[in-house]
Amino acid sequence: MTLGLPAKATASTGMDALVHAIEACTCQQSNPLSSAYGTAAIRMIAANVEEATRNGSNKQARFEMALASTMAGIAFSNSMVGAVHAIGHALGGVCHVPHAVAMTILLPHVMRYNLSHCADSYAALLPWLAGMDVALNTPTEKRAEAAIAFIEALGKRLNEVCELPLTLKDAGVDSAAFAKVAEFAVNDGALIVNPRAASEEQVMEILNAAY
């Protein structure tokens, strides 16, 4: 059913599924079930989203992405999402940014914002993103930063294939709307279980970083 999905939609929805899995594994309601499904989804998405975007006729890559998306959905249905979704929902409502595009843009910036509160969780995701042969004796902070860097690099590669927006400016957002976006975001239920609390001012900082 996804064989005819255009490259940009394939890339952005694949990244949306990655956000589902990452937030399911790292939000305050994360649990063994959400982590089991989430980490499996992260591994499959990291290994297949680029191929599915470059070569939409690759049935194996399409299957892996469909399965990963389902597993990521199970993961966050058993925990919750977080600030990426809270801010992304507001961007969709106020600025009409497609949901999956908002997720792609916001993910690394929210991870950086959360880093002080969940470096261990992000570090634990690195082997699932970059391969199980990642040196586990690397300091936690460096592994967490490497996980964020991996996601940024993946976004750039997808952008090269299909011009997937990586900044809010590229997505056509007017920064004058940031105050309204922040107001909506702090009242979104997803923010409640984010690893780090966020005020309107802190959401504005994330938006400016993503611009």
Side-chain angles (χ1 to χ4, degrees):
M1 289 176 67
T2 63
L3 287 175
L5 190 64
K8 187 178 291 185
T10 298
S12 63
T13 56
M15 292 298 288
D16 183 19
L18 183 62
V19 176
H20 290 158
I22 289 174
E23 292 202 304
C25 289
T26 58
C27 75
Q28 292 186 47
Q29 292 185 171
S30 176
N31 58 75
L33 183 61
S34 65
S35 293
Y37 277 99
T39 51
I42 289 167
R43 178 183 59 79
M44 287 188 284
I45 294 165
N48 290 281
V49 66
E50 191 174 356
E51 172 60 19
T53 301
R54 290 182 182 276
N55 182 10
S57 63
N58 185 325
K59 291 185 178 181
Q60 186 62 36
R62 290 291 195 184
F63 170 75
E64 295 281 344
M65 288 303 300
L67 180 59
S69 178
T70 301
M71 295 179 76
I74 294 170
F76 87 81
S77 294
N78 281 279
S79 56
M80 187 49 174
V81 282
V84 184
H85 274 79
I87 302 171
H89 293 156
L91 278 168
V94 175
C95 303
H96 310 294
V97 179
H99 177 75
V101 171
M103 297 296 96
T104 302
I105 294 168
L106 291 169
L107 178 58
H109 299 287
V110 172
M111 289 180 74
R112 284 213 166 81
Y113 174 78
N114 286 338
L115 189 56
S116 61
H117 285 59
C118 57
D120 287 343
S121 299
Y122 289 157
L125 297 182
L126 182 59
W128 302 97
L129 286 164
M132 298 305 290
D133 59 345
V134 171
L136 296 179
N137 59 345
T138 306
T140 298
E141 190 78 14
K142 288 189 175 181
R143 279 185 284 135
E145 290 173 354
I148 299 172
F150 180 94
I151 290 165
E152 288 180 321
L154 176 60
K156 289 177 181 177
R157 293 196 300 273
L158 293 172
N159 170 266
E160 291 171 0
V161 177
C162 63
E163 298 183 353
L164 178 65
L166 298 180
T167 69
L168 294 176
K169 183 182 293 185
D170 288 345
V173 175
D174 184 346
S175 59
F178 284 178
K180 180 61 71 175
V181 172
E183 178 187 346
F184 280 35
V186 298
N187 289 293
D188 189 291
L191 197 60
I192 296 171
V193 296
N194 192 64
R196 181 183 176 187
S199 64
E200 288 186 31
E201 291 76 15
Q202 288 167 319
V203 171
M204 290 278 284
E205 292 174 6
I206 294 169
L207 292 167
N208 282 311
Y211 195 68

